[in-house]
Amino acid sequence: MLNTEQRVPIDEERIEATLAHGVRKDAACVREVLAKAREMKGLKAEEVAVLMAVSDPDLLGEVFNTARYVKEEIYGRRLVLFAPLYVSNLCSNECLYCAFRKTNKEVKRRALTQEEVARETRIIIDQGHKRVLLVAGESYPVEGFPYILRCIETIYNTKHDRGEIRRLNVNIAPLTVDEFKELKAAHIGTYQLFQETYHRESYARVHLEGQKADFDWRITAPDRAMQAGIDDVGVGILFGLFDWRFEVLALMQHIDHLEKAFGVGPHTISVPRLEPAIGSSIACQPPHPVSDIDFRKLVAILRLAVPYTGIIMSTRETPNIRRETFALGVSQISAGSRTNPGGYAEDEKYDGSQFSLGDHRSLDEVIRDVAELDYIPSFCTACYRLGRTGQDFMDLAKPGKIKDHCGVNALSTFVEYLEDYGSPETKAIGEVCIQKTLESFTEQRRFVAEVLMDRVREGERDVFV
Ligand code: SAM
Ligand code: SF4
């Protein structure tokens, strides 16, 4: 096992050389890579570079079709839903792209009290959510890091009517191994942290002050989390800070490092693009903007490169981009989100948001849309609660066995949503989606799904296999 002082190797020269190698490849070579991608064993950096250089529309269409195939084979048609819960926008860092940066006077500072955390949680529960992503700036009220532990306890302890939060993921600043152990003991699901950019020079240019200015402290955080026993770690890139092609190859190196050191790579990859933020000029004019077509391409390539890692898309993106990327590889989405502390209870009245949203629809509207596209909205939290995390999860996922659990659990949690929270329109569309999904199942899976759904319709809750 690796020690915390060791640096995570990101070899910039090798990345540049690999990118140059990809450019000169012909259609036959691209098709060879796509044929390998269909085997769903992942791709090497050189192969990823070949796909990233594709610009011919017909060939690009083949890349997209292959991504659709792999997504469908591994994940079926389910999409997992979650809501972010911002507990605090206090921050001691100076990330030039973020409204929460220390010197930004245009944002009102606030850390929610535990009563306010419970109030926000109740509203999220009443929307129908079962998964929350706790988010905070990198500075806590006087009590320090234990504030986060108290928020976690409050969220898990909050019950409302028939609902509760069953999986809590966190996106907070890097911790020490001992602090990560406390986070694990608080029963978090995934610890999520975005490197923002893997390009050191660009990183230094946008992170001016505070602990976050230390590139190495941040890039080694997933190692410390795994050393502390947190199996599910999420990584991500803030696209727009540097060339997306470089970022994707650097991410591959980071994943490779985690696989070698811990036997398992990240559980999820998040793909935020820079969005306008109050008091940030760089967020409004990204130095390396990623076009919509390149964004779709990078999601598709990630799906092929690391087929078993979930890809998360937030409400930063518009409904159209979200719809298009579901098919290409996205497996988890947020919905009905607010990005300011207290934003669920106080709606638009409080101007403490982190960045602007591209999708303002309610959870019910998103679910209706997802179901109309024949995707099954899933609130399943079974894996984490049955200990199917880290290596155990991958052992089930890689031979394709996880799909048997996910499909039926997605249906039972979807029925739970429709029974308890669905509007009449969403219920009608949801029932059609459920019937179509059942028709696509084998006889045995259909039987299991029907048993689970009947139990939910008869009043049982939290039913899964
Ligand atoms: N403060 C912690 C940190 O920086 O890791 C965790 C919370 S921070 C609010 C979560 C993420 O928001 C950051 O990692 C960054 O990628 C993203 N973010 C910040 N400003 C953004 C912007 N203008 N547009 C899109 N995402 C942004
Ligand atoms: Fe603070 Fe995180 Fe925003 Fe940076 S991205 S200013 S660390 S909240």
Side-chain angles (χ1 to χ4, degrees):
M1 192 172 281
L2 186 116
N3 81 54
T4 37
E5 301 307 314
Q6 204 165 328
R7 280 166 60 146
V8 174
I10 299 296
D11 184 341
E12 296 194 0
E13 268 178 34
R14 211 177 91 212
I15 293 174
E16 297 299 347
T18 310
L19 283 174
H21 156 91
V23 175
R24 291 184 296 276
K25 301 301 173 204
D26 57 15
C29 177
V30 172
R31 291 195 178 113
E32 224 172 89
V33 173
L34 292 178
K36 183 179 169 202
R38 275 181 182 259
E39 292 168 17
M40 298 182 287
K41 295 196 175 101
L43 297 177
K44 293 200 191 92
E46 289 71 19
E47 294 159 340
V48 167
V50 168
L51 298 186
M52 290 199 294
V54 171
S55 57
D56 172 78
D58 292 337
L59 264 187
L60 197 55
E62 291 179 38
V63 174
F64 289 162
N65 282 340
T66 313
R68 282 189 197 103
Y69 168 81
V70 169
K71 156 91 201 264
E72 190 106 14
E73 278 299 300
I74 295 177
Y75 297 86
R77 295 194 66 86
R78 82 202 154 83
L79 262 182
V80 170
L81 287 131
F82 70 95
L85 199 174
Y86 280 67
V87 294
S88 157
N89 61 11
L90 310 183
C91 196
S92 52
N93 293 325
E94 190 62 14
C95 310
L96 292 186
Y97 46 81
C98 179
F100 295 172
R101 71 193 162 83
K102 185 179 162 187
T103 63
N104 188 11
K105 302 275 181 271
E106 293 181 54
V107 155
K108 284 188 221 148
R109 301 294 163 167
R110 174 173 188 186
L112 300 185
T113 62
Q114 295 309 311
E115 290 68 33
E116 288 169 335
V117 171
R119 187 179 61 168
E120 293 283 281
T121 308
R122 274 195 297 276
I123 295 170
I124 292 172
I125 289 172
D126 287 349
Q127 287 185 9
H129 280 291
K130 302 286 184 255
R131 284 177 180 238
V132 153
L133 173 68
L134 180 154
V135 187
E138 186 159 357
S139 172
Y140 308 118
V142 274
E143 64 199 286
F145 168 65
Y147 168 74
I148 296 293
L149 299 175
R150 286 217 294 142
C151 291
I152 294 173
E153 205 184 336
T154 301
I155 295 168
Y156 273 137
N157 285 341
T158 303
K159 315 273 172 203
H160 204 229
D161 294 332
R162 309 201 69 182
E164 73 221 327
I165 297 305
R166 298 176 187 158
R167 178 175 177 135
L168 175 61
N169 301 330
V170 296
N171 184 325
I172 59 167
L175 302 170
T176 63
V177 174
D178 285 343
E179 287 168 334
F180 275 127
K181 284 184 182 159
E182 292 186 71
L183 211 50
K184 181 178 163 65
H187 305 293
I188 62 150
T190 307
Y191 170 69
Q192 208 183 70
L193 187 76
F194 312 155
Q195 185 59 26
E196 320 297 11
T197 171
Y198 285 99
H199 187 248
R200 271 182 194 269
E201 202 184 307
S202 302
Y203 188 94
R205 224 177 284 138
V206 294
H207 299 107
L208 301 188
E209 260 187 59
Q211 186 132 50
K212 193 159 166 183
D214 185 344
F215 180 98
D216 291 309
W217 174 249
R218 192 165 180 93
I219 203 170
T220 49
D223 296 50
R224 292 193 297 282
M226 286 192 176
Q227 281 170 353
I230 296 177
D231 289 335
D232 288 350
V233 171
V235 295
I237 295 163
L238 184 52
F239 286 104
L241 294 176
F242 192 60
D243 180 0
W244 68 269
R245 297 168 191 85
F246 176 98
E247 303 288 17
V248 168
L249 290 187
L251 175 68
M252 298 279 295
Q253 290 188 355
H254 193 183
I255 292 174
D256 200 40
H257 157 80
L258 292 172
E259 281 175 350
K260 283 192 181 121
F262 301 99
V264 64
H267 188 64
T268 54
I269 300 173
S270 296
V271 291
R273 276 194 292 186
L274 262 181
E275 291 299 329
I278 300 168
S280 165
S281 53
I282 195 176
C284 301
Q285 280 183 315
H288 294 267
V290 179
S291 68
D292 286 353
I293 185 77
D294 280 345
F295 190 59
R296 298 211 302 267
K297 191 158 120 181
L298 80 83
V299 168
I301 291 172
L302 284 176
R303 182 66 305 134
L304 301 178
V306 277
Y308 295 95
T309 305
I311 299 181
I312 304 181
M313 168 92 35
S314 76
T315 45
R316 291 172 180 87
E317 297 295 338
T318 60
N320 264 344
I321 286 285
R322 277 155 57 93
R323 279 183 205 114
E324 286 174 13
T325 50
F326 295 165
L328 297 176
V330 167
S331 53
Q332 291 191 28
I333 57 167
S334 51
S337 308
R338 297 286 179 275
T339 63
N340 53 317
Y344 290 99
E346 294 154 29
D347 208 11
E348 305 294 320
K349 276 177 262 151
Y350 177 77
D351 78 359
S353 299
Q354 193 198 3
F355 48 78
S356 0
L357 299 180
D359 187 347
H360 298 267
R361 296 170 301 167
S362 67
L363 175 64
D364 192 70
E365 286 170 288
V366 171
I367 293 220
R368 200 179 317 145
D369 190 29
V370 164
E372 256 179 329
L373 295 168
D374 292 334
Y375 287 97
I376 324 161
S378 173
F379 295 89
C380 179
T381 54
C383 279
Y384 141 82
R385 288 155 76 223
L386 292 172
R388 293 194 296 245
T389 57
Q391 183 79 58
D392 292 346
F393 173 81
M394 288 300 168
D395 287 348
L396 266 178
K398 291 197 173 162
K401 289 187 193 150
I402 199 74
K403 213 166 76 171
D404 294 339
H405 298 272
C406 297
V408 294
N409 287 342
L411 284 182
S412 77
T413 56
F414 185 28
V415 170
E416 191 174 333
Y417 171 84
L418 293 175
E419 294 274 313
D420 293 345
Y421 306 99
S423 64
E425 304 93 288
T426 304
K427 275 188 180 157
I429 288 165
E431 284 305 328
V432 175
C433 168
I434 290 169
Q435 286 318 313
K436 276 195 196 163
T437 307
L438 286 174
E439 281 160 27
S440 73
F441 280 3
T442 58
E443 203 173 320
Q444 203 211 341
R445 277 177 92 200
R446 198 178 318 139
F447 174 76
V448 177
E450 277 173 348
V451 170
L452 295 186
M453 289 191 296
D454 282 348
R455 282 168 58 190
V456 174
R457 289 192 179 107
E458 280 157 19
E460 216 179 313
R461 290 291 168 266
D462 201 11
V463 176
F464 55 82
V465 288

